[in-house]
Amino acid sequence: SPALVWRADLVKNEISFLSDATIPGMENVIPGLLQDAAGAESILAAQDREAFTRFHERMRQRQPVSEVFRVHGRDGVMRWLYILGTPDPEISFGYLGLVTDCTGIANGILQRGSETGIAEHVELFDNPVFMAECRSRRVFAANAPAREIFGIDPKNKPVILSDVFAANADAYM
């Protein structure tokens, strides 16, 4: 689903949205989540309150943050939200972020069970995703779109990250 891009003025406690995207069932929920940490308790999953509080603390401290938490929408549906934020480089008391619904991916991972390795979870994504080991830069997993677009198949032939980009000029765009 599309991401809602937002900017916060931390002095005035104002949120403005920089994109027209919406998350169905969450249209009136997201502004409150961003502005009022205490008021959000009634719609947050109890187990996720700590992650949500951590997000607000990092935002107030103008520190980068990335969290996932569950929220009840106005339609009663529990959704997994991914929120990402960073200090606004143009406004001294500003903060930029995005929030998106990641319920489909979260449910897919949960349905696959804990025995499924993380590399297999890349198949849940519609856009190209591959995973590489940092030290060796060896690609060890790629989903179907990545295998098709980049012409790689790490299960059948060893792939080094630099080879993926060197052979695909479009990957730099």
Side-chain angles (χ1 to χ4, degrees), residues 77-142:
V77 175
M78 177 73 84
R79 289 181 176 77
W80 291 80
L81 297 181
Y82 172 63
I83 195 161
L84 177 71
T86 190
D88 187 332
E90 296 179 13
I91 301 172
S92 60
F93 292 103
Y95 200 78
L96 295 170
L98 64 83
V99 61
T100 191
D101 183 343
C102 63
T103 303
I105 292 169
N107 287 340
I109 291 170
L110 291 171
Q111 288 169 357
R112 288 170 155 235
S114 61
E115 293 80 35
T116 304
I118 194 164
E120 284 77 32
H121 294 309
V122 299
E123 292 298 339
L124 295 170
F125 294 88
D126 295 330
N127 49 336
V129 175
F130 55 85
M131 298 177 77
E133 185 178 74
C134 291
R135 287 182 190 221
S136 68
R137 295 195 165 102
R138 182 184 62 84
V139 176
F140 63 90

Side-chain angles (χ1 to χ4, degrees), residues 2-116:
L4 291 159
V5 182
W6 51 272
R7 173 181 277 148
D9 180 320
L10 300 176
V11 174
K12 296 178 183 176
N13 194 31
E14 292 178 350
I15 303 292
S16 55
F17 290 93
L18 308 175
S19 67
D20 294 330
T22 61
I23 298 173
M26 304 294 290
E27 295 86 355
N28 299 323
V29 174
I30 300 296
L33 283 173
L34 296 172
Q35 286 181 297
D36 183 15
E41 251 187 54
S42 64
I43 61 171
L44 285 166
Q47 305 92 323
D48 297 343
R49 290 181 181 147
E50 186 177 321
F52 183 75
T53 300
R54 195 169 40 245
F55 157 72
H56 268 277
E57 287 171 359
R58 301 287 300 207
M59 182 170 68
R60 281 192 306 274
Q61 295 166 356
R62 294 194 70 234
Q63 296 294 315
V65 68
S66 172
E67 295 288 350
V68 175
F69 47 85
R70 291 164 295 164
V71 178
H72 288 280
R74 298 281 184 233
D75 56 2
V77 175
M78 177 73 84
R79 289 181 176 77
W80 291 80
L81 297 181
Y82 172 63
I83 195 161
L84 177 71
T86 190
D88 187 332
E90 296 179 13
I91 301 172
S92 60
F93 292 103
Y95 200 78
L96 295 170
L98 64 83
V99 61
T100 191
D101 183 343
C102 63
T103 303
I105 292 169
N107 287 340
I109 291 170
L110 291 171
Q111 288 169 357
R112 288 170 155 235
S114 61
E115 293 80 35
T116 304

